[in-house]
Amino acid sequence: MAHKRSKFSSRFGFIAAAAGSAVGLGNIWKFPFEAGKGGGAAFLIIYLVFCFVLCYPLLITEIAIGRKSQRNPVGSFKILGHSRWTFIGFLSVLCGILILSFYNVVAGWVFGYFVEILLGNFAIGENFESFIADVSEVGGYSLLFMVVTAFIVSKGITNGIERASKILMPALVIIMLFLSIYALTLDNAIEGVKFYLIPDFSKVNIEIIYRALGQSFFSLSLGMGALITYGSYLKKNEDIITSGAIVTLSDVFIAFLAGLMIFPIVFSQGLSTDGGTGLIFVTLPGVFEGMGPVLGIIIGSLFFLLLSFAALTSTISLMELPVSYLVDQRNIKREIAVWISAAVVFLLGIPSLIGNGYSAFFTEFITYFGADKPTDFMTFMTDIALNSLLPVGGFFISIFAVYIWKRRKLFRELSYGNEKFLKSWIAKYVAFCLQYIAPVVLGITFIITVLEIFFGLHLFS
Ligand code: TRP
């Protein structure tokens, strides 16, 4: 099966695309509310430790698997000669579809906010609940989002994904820097900074730990082959070690910046840090309003527009999972594979769409054992896909890489493009992490997570 695979045209192109996949709603929408719930600084620190200590080695491993095999996650394991491990690939594709199904709904909220603020509707912040329950409006935006994603993915790697990422990522960073600085000038902002930067470890419990773990995986697009797929489009002479570090750093930097932007605002408005999924949607419009009508509309709509683009570079990478599977393994034409995937994912997203107030059944979808309140469908999906499946994917990938595929081969692949790697301390650390830290931490956390979320068994409290 010697087909020519399209390649990222430059190193910057790959980094922009991989960072584009990583940076998204996970950083700017989800990270702040998870950090808010998890006690601010304490959550931030645990998250940072996971990103650098655990996730970075896994990130470069995924990229190396992809580049070596030149395949989608399902094909990868076959090509490397371990068909029995193909299940990880299937798990990846499944997980990608599940994540994209609800991610696309939130992307619809973001795009809807862009439109509303452009029209000067700053009151949208107070009306968040009714906005997300308005299925025809949000459904329309989500559908639009899915169509745009599908269109770009159908154009293939270099033309679509790479070109879009290169322009949009830097623009987003600039506007977030501006907003963070602006946020610091608001009344009472300093309380927010304290909350975010001075840790209170008495708040740490096992829930914060596994949420920080799920968050770090989600944020880095890790644990389910998105990076195997991107790695498969990478040239042999590219330096995975350095590119991976740049991707990790930029992702972490943007999440950090998002917190620095949101918490001063939350405190200056006297709101609760425990705002849940609505946190950025409820707090930000008021700030834009405070900038005055003209500036507020410009900055506010620009922010949500760029956030839509950040989400888009992530939906693209998620969509690439089922698509590359259908193209490589099922010999379906790229254009057709894209529209099949888009249709399936959109349909699967409907329960998440209507589970925010519109349909009582999906809004109160399930009550976990021992829980006092029911959980909505979207939260249920995040508990399954993100808090459970991603770490499991990481667990299997680490075991596969060092014990099955073997460390020697992994390290040889990693050393192409970076000859110094093999002798560096990073190599020693990566080996240690994949052999011991990752399997143990991920295995144990997975068990605790499942017992705690789904069965209400609190082992440590
Ligand atoms: N990392 C993205 C974000 O933070 C979400 C994402 C894109 C993702 N592709 C992924 C998560 C693949 C897991 C796997 O918004």
Side-chain angles (χ1 to χ4, degrees), residues 4 133 261:
K4 180 130 179 51
M261 167 180 96

Side-chain angles (χ1 to χ4, degrees), residues 20-27 99 103 217-224 226 251 313-315 317-318 321 390:
S21 161
V23 175
L25 300 175
N27 308 56
I99 292 186
Y103 199 95
F217 268 70
F218 180 66
S219 170
L220 288 166
S221 305
L222 208 62
M224 36 154 277
D251 187 65
T313 51
S314 300
T315 53
S317 82
L318 285 160
L321 277 160
L390 292 183

Side-chain angles (χ1 to χ4, degrees), residues 104-105 108-109 112 127-144 346 349-360 362-363 378:
N104 188 62
V105 173
W109 301 351
N127 301 329
F128 173 69
E129 303 263 314
S130 53
F131 173 75
I132 59 174
D134 183 345
V135 164
S136 55
E137 187 173 358
V138 177
Y141 292 130
S142 299
L143 186 62
L144 179 70
F346 188 76
I350 289 179
S352 298
L353 172 69
I354 62 179
N356 290 297
Y358 179 79
S359 145
F362 287 110
T363 307
M378 196 188 274

Side-chain angles (χ1 to χ4, degrees), residues 112-126:
Y113 261 57
F114 158 67
V115 175
E116 294 293 334
I117 293 199
L118 193 62
L119 298 174
N121 177 9
F122 294 112
I124 185 85
E126 288 126 56

